[in-house]
């Protein structure tokens, strides 16, 4: 069965410092991986995805993520955090062998960036 | 352009009542998805439509839950005999499925409907 783990409930970072939000996954086939961000009282917004190819994926708002097959990880990163990055971040995976619709989400990591 | 819209934004009902939640996807998006998000959790897949038909309804928790998309655009999620445990935010998403992308385009989410069952 496919699953996603976000081991940290909360990540605290000072503005200007690099940030990492961790995600590991488990699928039987090849993974399709996604990061979404959720701001208070707003819908989930797509940040980036990994389907195939280059392991380093660049996305919206300066975020990037690195696919590591051996560690089954897809950590979200940003070189310099902004206070406005504070939000709830979700990692999601779909098994390439599975239903096109069935995205499995992690339980989310709250990112808090302090000035 | 217009994103995914969901109505109502909030719905309060009593245990045992019937509710309908509506989703208007992005125009031209052939795929539509329903998820349920409980407090402190990530979205949980319920059902996926490709056009008018339900391509995968494996996430529906029981037969009290049903969804339709009769014309391949707007979708309605229907919950019969609501229970307190049905209280959650119900999210709808849509995406464009194409052969060129092997069906792995990102999903665009609506703001959700917060359902409270008293």
């Amino acid at each position: 069965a496919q699953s996603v783990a976000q081991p940290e409930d909360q990540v605290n970072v000072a503005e200007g410092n690099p940030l990492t939000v961790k995600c590991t996954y488990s699928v039987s086939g090849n993974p399709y991986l996604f990061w979404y961000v959720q701001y208070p009282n707003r819908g989930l917004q797509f940040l980036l995805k990994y389907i195939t190819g280059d392991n380093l994926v660049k996305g919206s708002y300066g975020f990037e993520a690195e696919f590591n097959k051996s560690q089954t990880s897809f950590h979200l990163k940003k070189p310099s955090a902004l206070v406005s990055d504070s939000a709830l971040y979700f990692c999601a995976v779909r098994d390439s062998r599975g239903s096109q619709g069935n995205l499995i989400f992690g339980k989310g990591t709250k990112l808090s960036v302090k000035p | 352009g217009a994103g995914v819209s969901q109505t109502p934004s909030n719905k309060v009902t009593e245990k045992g009542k019937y509710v309908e939640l509506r989703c208007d996807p992005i125009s031209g998006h052939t795929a539509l998805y329903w998820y349920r998000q409980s407090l402190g959790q990530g979205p949980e897949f319920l059902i996926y439509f490709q056009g008018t038909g339900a391509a995968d309804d494996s996430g529906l928790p029981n037969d009290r839950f049903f969804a339709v998309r009769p014309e391949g655009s707007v979708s309605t999620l229907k919950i019969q005999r609501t229970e307190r445990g049905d209280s959650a935010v119900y999210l709808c998403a849509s995406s464009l499925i194409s052969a060129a992308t092997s069906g792995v385009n990102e999903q665009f989410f609506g703001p959700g409907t917060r359902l409270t069952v008293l």
Side-chain angles (χ1 to χ4, degrees):
Chain A
Q2 49 189 351
S3 65
V4 174
Q6 293 182 243
E8 303 152 317
D9 290 337
Q10 180 154 346
V11 170
N12 298 310
V13 177
E15 187 174 33
N17 283 2
L19 70 86
T20 299
V21 182
K22 296 180 180 177
C23 172
T24 58
Y25 66 88
S26 174
V27 295
S28 55
N30 291 319
Y32 299 145
L33 293 153
F34 302 80
W35 276 101
Y36 284 83
V37 60
Q38 189 173 40
Y39 297 99
N41 300 316
R42 294 176 64 180
L44 287 159
Q45 296 179 32
F46 169 77
L47 279 180
L48 49 79
K49 67 182 178 184
Y50 171 82
I51 305 303
T52 187
D54 195 350
N55 288 346
L56 184 63
V57 179
K58 294 188 184 296
S60 307
Y61 313 120
F63 283 93
E64 58 188 30
E66 186 165 13
F67 170 63
N68 187 316
K69 187 173 184 178
S70 63
Q71 297 185 4
T72 61
S73 67
F74 190 57
H75 301 332
L76 181 70
K77 300 183 179 185
K78 187 173 182 181
S80 179
L82 299 173
V83 172
S84 58
D85 292 330
S86 298
L88 195 52
Y89 290 80
F90 291 95
C91 181
V93 68
R94 177 165 89 71
D95 192 330
S96 62
R97 298 178 184 176
S99 158
Q100 288 191 358
N102 198 342
L103 261 187
I104 302 299
F105 283 83
K107 64 178 186 177
T109 298
K110 182 179 180 182
L111 174 65
S112 178
V113 182
K114 300 295 186 186
Chain B
V4 177
S5 62
Q6 293 185 246
T7 53
S9 55
N10 280 284
K11 176 70 177 178
V12 180
T13 191
E14 294 179 343
K15 180 175 178 295
K17 299 290 188 182
Y18 168 84
V19 297
E20 289 189 351
L21 311 179
R22 176 187 167 106
C23 172
D24 277 271
I26 293 173
S27 178
H29 279 192
T30 54
L32 185 146
Y33 316 81
W34 283 99
Y35 293 84
R36 178 169 68 175
Q37 186 174 19
S38 301
L39 195 62
Q41 301 297 318
E44 173 192 19
F45 170 78
L46 294 177
I47 186 169
Y48 151 56
F49 287 89
Q50 179 61 274
T52 60
D56 182 353
D57 64 357
S58 63
L60 294 177
N62 52 59
D63 61 6
R64 294 186 299 105
F65 289 74
F66 189 71
V68 295
R69 195 186 185 199
E71 298 178 357
S73 178
V74 170
S75 177
T76 305
L77 178 66
K78 308 180 181 193
I79 310 175
Q80 298 177 325
R81 303 182 305 279
T82 52
E83 300 178 355
R84 292 193 180 88
D86 298 335
S87 297
V89 176
Y90 288 81
L91 299 171
C92 177
S94 69
S95 71
L96 187 62
I97 301 290
S98 69
T101 56
S102 302
V104 288
N105 282 335
E106 56 271 25
Q107 299 177 19
F108 293 85
F109 283 80
T113 293
R114 183 176 299 277
L115 175 66
T116 303
V117 182
L118 301 176

